[in-house]
Amino acid sequence: MPLRFRVRETLANQELAKTLEALRHSESDTSVLRTLFPGSLDTTGVAFLPKDRLLSPEEKSAAATAFAGVLDSGDFTSGPAVDSFEGALSEFLGAAHTVATGSGTDALIIALRAVGVGPGDQVILPANSFAATENAVFACGAEPVLADVTLPDGNLDPASVEEHITARTAAILPVHLYGRLADMAGLRAVADRHRLGLVEDACQAIGVTGVGQYSDAAVLSFNPYKNFGLCGKSGAVVTGSAEIAERCRVLSYHGFVPGQKNIKCETFGLNSRIDNTMAAIGLALLPWLSLRALRRTCLAKRYIDALSPLARQLPLDVPTFVPDHAWHLFPLVFHEDGLRDTVRTRVSRSSGVETDVYYPVLTHQHETPLREKLFGGVSLPRTEQLNAHVLHLPLHAGMSLGEQDRVIDALHDALRAQT
């Protein structure tokens, strides 16, 4: 049956629209997959995230052309690409305001400060995230307070958040773990009851409908390893508030009055605006954003279909295929102690399949100078349970179907011994 679809005309959907047009008269799932994944790769193993394939040959060419244009213009730091990139992102995200920054971490710091977080405040967040989440809180002079998560998604639990609110709490900072949206409606309700700021760490969830819908500000990362990755570090704050956006622009560039260099209106500011160079590369790569997302979604669905039968026989959880997921990472959860590490060793030795435990140490378990003072009494049973049993499979936009089949076969072989 011919495919029927309608794609909104934005720069980020450009290559997706071309691909879907090619699929319009596809007669089978096989022909659809061949169009979406035209390349095949014969390998003796499967890398978890191969750096040389983060961008396709077409994307590399587009990025090189954009960089050459900046070289000719000399507009390396400030320049016209910054406004254009922010505008194109806003159009795609359906956001009123986008402020592009030098990194996702900078964006987190700026967003937190823009909603009023400062020295002595507390910010509630999960423990199972990248260090940038907690570091952004520290950079504001504030204190991270850890709340537990819901299972099986691993996202911040609104009920646990409410239990940890004190007179010093200024904001809630949920993370869309692995690309799955947290319960933002529930967290918004908690924030409103206690008059708190709500900033969402959406660095793994670009393109998911709902990002920014309930929060005061959402933060994105364009690190090369993210779903939409550029050729260096960069990020953005997305918000529906003109006031917060204005504050972000001031905070991100030395406290200067927007559009007036060397004239300050704020006591303190960072040097954190995105460079024109990276913005130009971002504009060049943006046409592939939605196509890359579709590829990730298809790979996730293939994993789920192939591995769900194992979950009916073994103490194993496979993610549910849901629409509010960007599939930045694909997690399996093994409920039997030691099984995760056994499977990981087996697939590596037998098939050269590289897996990962993406955040091996939780925030409150790092051996840091302030660990005992800040986290000495922290107990997060659900977070700790999940972290002890989760394993991440290879999944990226450049992955071939042959590689994925090799991963699936290796997992079936490794787990067959358990039945």
Side-chain angles (χ1 to χ4, degrees), residues 3-19:
L3 294 174
R4 298 185 182 278
F5 53 81
R6 183 171 179 272
V7 177
R8 193 159 54 95
E9 292 184 7
T10 68
L11 184 61
N13 291 338
Q14 197 171 87
E15 292 299 321
L16 174 64
K18 291 179 184 177
T19 301

PDB file of all heavy atoms in Angstrom, residues 3-19:
ATOM      1  N   LEU A   3       2.508   4.753   0.768  1.00  0.00           N
ATOM      2  CA  LEU A   3       2.558   5.518   2.000  1.00  0.00           C
ATOM      3  C   LEU A   3       1.873   6.861   1.820  1.00  0.00           C
ATOM      4  O   LEU A   3       1.955   7.490   0.762  1.00  0.00           O
ATOM      5  CB  LEU A   3       4.012   5.747   2.410  1.00  0.00           C
ATOM      6  CG  LEU A   3       4.821   4.513   2.799  1.00  0.00           C
ATOM      7  CD1 LEU A   3       6.260   4.920   3.037  1.00  0.00           C
ATOM      8  CD2 LEU A   3       4.248   3.864   4.043  1.00  0.00           C
ATOM      9  N   ARG A   4       1.172   7.303   2.866  1.00  0.00           N
ATOM     10  CA  ARG A   4       0.549   8.617   2.849  1.00  0.00           C
ATOM     11  C   ARG A   4       1.122   9.405   4.020  1.00  0.00           C
ATOM     12  O   ARG A   4       1.156   8.916   5.139  1.00  0.00           O
ATOM     13  CB  ARG A   4      -0.976   8.507   2.973  1.00  0.00           C
ATOM     14  CG  ARG A   4      -1.598   7.742   1.811  1.00  0.00           C
ATOM     15  CD  ARG A   4      -3.117   7.750   1.893  1.00  0.00           C
ATOM     16  NE  ARG A   4      -3.692   6.978   0.814  1.00  0.00           N
ATOM     17  CZ  ARG A   4      -3.888   7.428  -0.408  1.00  0.00           C
ATOM     18  NH1 ARG A   4      -3.560   8.677  -0.707  1.00  0.00           N
ATOM     19  NH2 ARG A   4      -4.423   6.658  -1.341  1.00  0.00           N
ATOM     20  N   PHE A   5       1.569  10.598   3.763  1.00  0.00           N
ATOM     21  CA  PHE A   5       2.226  11.370   4.795  1.00  0.00           C
ATOM     22  C   PHE A   5       2.196  12.849   4.436  1.00  0.00           C
ATOM     23  O   PHE A   5       1.928  13.225   3.298  1.00  0.00           O
ATOM     24  CB  PHE A   5       3.684  10.931   4.972  1.00  0.00           C
ATOM     25  CG  PHE A   5       4.464  10.924   3.676  1.00  0.00           C
ATOM     26  CD1 PHE A   5       4.998  12.102   3.171  1.00  0.00           C
ATOM     27  CD2 PHE A   5       4.616   9.761   2.952  1.00  0.00           C
ATOM     28  CE1 PHE A   5       5.684  12.109   1.984  1.00  0.00           C
ATOM     29  CE2 PHE A   5       5.314   9.764   1.756  1.00  0.00           C
ATOM     30  CZ  PHE A   5       5.852  10.940   1.274  1.00  0.00           C
ATOM     31  N   ARG A   6       2.461  13.649   5.438  1.00  0.00           N
ATOM     32  CA  ARG A   6       2.595  15.088   5.227  1.00  0.00           C
ATOM     33  C   ARG A   6       3.688  15.585   6.155  1.00  0.00           C
ATOM     34  O   ARG A   6       3.627  15.383   7.369  1.00  0.00           O
ATOM     35  CB  ARG A   6       1.287  15.807   5.530  1.00  0.00           C
ATOM     36  CG  ARG A   6       1.329  17.301   5.253  1.00  0.00           C
ATOM     37  CD  ARG A   6      -0.064  17.893   5.368  1.00  0.00           C
ATOM     38  NE  ARG A   6      -0.046  19.334   5.136  1.00  0.00           N
ATOM     39  CZ  ARG A   6       0.155  20.241   6.082  1.00  0.00           C
ATOM     40  NH1 ARG A   6       0.345  19.836   7.334  1.00  0.00           N
ATOM     41  NH2 ARG A   6       0.144  21.524   5.806  1.00  0.00           N
ATOM     42  N   VAL A   7       4.720  16.203   5.609  1.00  0.00           N
ATOM     43  CA  VAL A   7       5.859  16.681   6.390  1.00  0.00           C
ATOM     44  C   VAL A   7       5.858  18.201   6.381  1.00  0.00           C
ATOM     45  O   VAL A   7       5.740  18.831   5.316  1.00  0.00           O
ATOM     46  CB  VAL A   7       7.191  16.160   5.802  1.00  0.00           C
ATOM     47  CG1 VAL A   7       8.357  16.719   6.590  1.00  0.00           C
ATOM     48  CG2 VAL A   7       7.214  14.641   5.822  1.00  0.00           C
ATOM     49  N   ARG A   8       5.930  18.785   7.575  1.00  0.00           N
ATOM     50  CA  ARG A   8       5.981  20.242   7.682  1.00  0.00           C
ATOM     51  C   ARG A   8       7.242  20.764   7.002  1.00  0.00           C
ATOM     52  O   ARG A   8       8.319  20.199   7.149  1.00  0.00           O
ATOM     53  CB  ARG A   8       5.963  20.642   9.156  1.00  0.00           C
ATOM     54  CG  ARG A   8       5.699  22.111   9.410  1.00  0.00           C
ATOM     55  CD  ARG A   8       5.187  22.328  10.825  1.00  0.00           C
ATOM     56  NE  ARG A   8       6.094  21.733  11.807  1.00  0.00           N
ATOM     57  CZ  ARG A   8       7.050  22.413  12.430  1.00  0.00           C
ATOM     58  NH1 ARG A   8       7.240  23.693  12.149  1.00  0.00           N
ATOM     59  NH2 ARG A   8       7.808  21.830  13.318  1.00  0.00           N
ATOM     60  N   GLU A   9       7.109  21.851   6.252  1.00  0.00           N
ATOM     61  CA  GLU A   9       8.229  22.381   5.483  1.00  0.00           C
ATOM     62  C   GLU A   9       9.141  23.223   6.376  1.00  0.00           C
ATOM     63  O   GLU A   9       8.929  24.422   6.537  1.00  0.00           O
ATOM     64  CB  GLU A   9       7.721  23.201   4.297  1.00  0.00           C
ATOM     65  CG  GLU A   9       7.022  22.362   3.235  1.00  0.00           C
ATOM     66  CD  GLU A   9       6.625  23.186   2.030  1.00  0.00           C
ATOM     67  OE1 GLU A   9       7.014  24.380   1.971  1.00  0.00           O
ATOM     68  OE2 GLU A   9       5.925  22.660   1.148  1.00  0.00           O
ATOM     69  N   THR A  10      10.126  22.581   6.962  1.00  0.00           N
ATOM     70  CA  THR A  10      11.163  23.288   7.714  1.00  0.00           C
ATOM     71  C   THR A  10      12.510  22.760   7.235  1.00  0.00           C
ATOM     72  O   THR A  10      12.597  21.673   6.643  1.00  0.00           O
ATOM     73  CB  THR A  10      11.046  23.041   9.232  1.00  0.00           C
ATOM     74  OG1 THR A  10      11.362  21.670   9.512  1.00  0.00           O
ATOM     75  CG2 THR A  10       9.643  23.342   9.737  1.00  0.00           C
ATOM     76  N   LEU A  11      13.543  23.516   7.512  1.00  0.00           N
ATOM     77  CA  LEU A  11      14.879  23.105   7.096  1.00  0.00           C
ATOM     78  C   LEU A  11      15.247  21.747   7.691  1.00  0.00           C
ATOM     79  O   LEU A  11      15.863  20.911   7.023  1.00  0.00           O
ATOM     80  CB  LEU A  11      15.903  24.166   7.524  1.00  0.00           C
ATOM     81  CG  LEU A  11      17.355  23.948   7.080  1.00  0.00           C
ATOM     82  CD1 LEU A  11      17.455  23.930   5.557  1.00  0.00           C
ATOM     83  CD2 LEU A  11      18.252  25.041   7.657  1.00  0.00           C
ATOM     84  N   ALA A  12      14.846  21.501   8.936  1.00  0.00           N
ATOM     85  CA  ALA A  12      15.204  20.254   9.607  1.00  0.00           C
ATOM     86  C   ALA A  12      14.515  19.037   9.004  1.00  0.00           C
ATOM     87  O   ALA A  12      14.959  17.900   9.223  1.00  0.00           O
ATOM     88  CB  ALA A  12      14.866  20.354  11.094  1.00  0.00           C
ATOM     89  N   ASN A  13      13.449  19.248   8.246  1.00  0.00           N
ATOM     90  CA  ASN A  13      12.719  18.129   7.639  1.00  0.00           C
ATOM     91  C   ASN A  13      13.071  17.909   6.167  1.00  0.00           C
ATOM     92  O   ASN A  13      12.484  17.057   5.506  1.00  0.00           O
ATOM     93  CB  ASN A  13      11.208  18.383   7.739  1.00  0.00           C
ATOM     94  CG  ASN A  13      10.701  18.297   9.149  1.00  0.00           C
ATOM     95  OD1 ASN A  13      11.326  17.678  10.009  1.00  0.00           O
ATOM     96  ND2 ASN A  13       9.557  18.911   9.410  1.00  0.00           N
ATOM     97  N   GLN A  14      14.020  18.656   5.654  1.00  0.00           N
ATOM     98  CA  GLN A  14      14.277  18.681   4.209  1.00  0.00           C
ATOM     99  C   GLN A  14      14.635  17.300   3.654  1.00  0.00           C
ATOM    100  O   GLN A  14      14.012  16.814   2.696  1.00  0.00           O
ATOM    101  CB  GLN A  14      15.388  19.684   3.922  1.00  0.00           C
ATOM    102  CG  GLN A  14      15.497  20.112   2.483  1.00  0.00           C
ATOM    103  CD  GLN A  14      16.489  21.268   2.342  1.00  0.00           C
ATOM    104  OE1 GLN A  14      17.686  21.053   2.186  1.00  0.00           O
ATOM    105  NE2 GLN A  14      15.989  22.492   2.430  1.00  0.00           N
ATOM    106  N   GLU A  15      15.638  16.647   4.239  1.00  0.00           N
ATOM    107  CA  GLU A  15      16.061  15.344   3.723  1.00  0.00           C
ATOM    108  C   GLU A  15      15.031  14.262   4.040  1.00  0.00           C
ATOM    109  O   GLU A  15      14.882  13.303   3.273  1.00  0.00           O
ATOM    110  CB  GLU A  15      17.428  14.959   4.308  1.00  0.00           C
ATOM    111  CG  GLU A  15      18.570  15.834   3.822  1.00  0.00           C
ATOM    112  CD  GLU A  15      18.764  15.765   2.312  1.00  0.00           C
ATOM    113  OE1 GLU A  15      18.622  14.666   1.740  1.00  0.00           O
ATOM    114  OE2 GLU A  15      19.053  16.817   1.709  1.00  0.00           O
ATOM    115  N   LEU A  16      14.315  14.412   5.136  1.00  0.00           N
ATOM    116  CA  LEU A  16      13.248  13.465   5.443  1.00  0.00           C
ATOM    117  C   LEU A  16      12.170  13.516   4.375  1.00  0.00           C
ATOM    118  O   LEU A  16      11.675  12.473   3.911  1.00  0.00           O
ATOM    119  CB  LEU A  16      12.639  13.786   6.811  1.00  0.00           C
ATOM    120  CG  LEU A  16      11.415  12.959   7.203  1.00  0.00           C
ATOM    121  CD1 LEU A  16      11.783  11.488   7.355  1.00  0.00           C
ATOM    122  CD2 LEU A  16      10.787  13.497   8.484  1.00  0.00           C
ATOM    123  N   ALA A  17      11.800  14.718   3.970  1.00  0.00           N
ATOM    124  CA  ALA A  17      10.771  14.861   2.941  1.00  0.00           C
ATOM    125  C   ALA A  17      11.207  14.200   1.637  1.00  0.00           C
ATOM    126  O   ALA A  17      10.409  13.521   0.972  1.00  0.00           O
ATOM    127  CB  ALA A  17      10.467  16.342   2.717  1.00  0.00           C
ATOM    128  N   LYS A  18      12.469  14.370   1.265  1.00  0.00           N
ATOM    129  CA  LYS A  18      12.970  13.741   0.040  1.00  0.00           C
ATOM    130  C   LYS A  18      12.912  12.219   0.149  1.00  0.00           C
ATOM    131  O   LYS A  18      12.520  11.517  -0.794  1.00  0.00           O
ATOM    132  CB  LYS A  18      14.416  14.174  -0.217  1.00  0.00           C
ATOM    133  CG  LYS A  18      14.595  15.629  -0.597  1.00  0.00           C
ATOM    134  CD  LYS A  18      16.075  15.942  -0.797  1.00  0.00           C
ATOM    135  CE  LYS A  18      16.319  17.399  -1.081  1.00  0.00           C
ATOM    136  NZ  LYS A  18      17.775  17.702  -1.201  1.00  0.00           N
ATOM    137  N   THR A  19      13.310  11.706   1.302  1.00  0.00           N
ATOM    138  CA  THR A  19      13.325  10.251   1.488  1.00  0.00           C
ATOM    139  C   THR A  19      11.915   9.685   1.488  1.00  0.00           C
ATOM    140  O   THR A  19      11.643   8.647   0.888  1.00  0.00           O
ATOM    141  CB  THR A  19      14.041   9.897   2.809  1.00  0.00           C
ATOM    142  OG1 THR A  19      15.372  10.405   2.768  1.00  0.00           O
ATOM    143  CG2 THR A  19      14.080   8.395   3.024  1.00  0.00           C
TER     144      THR A  19
END
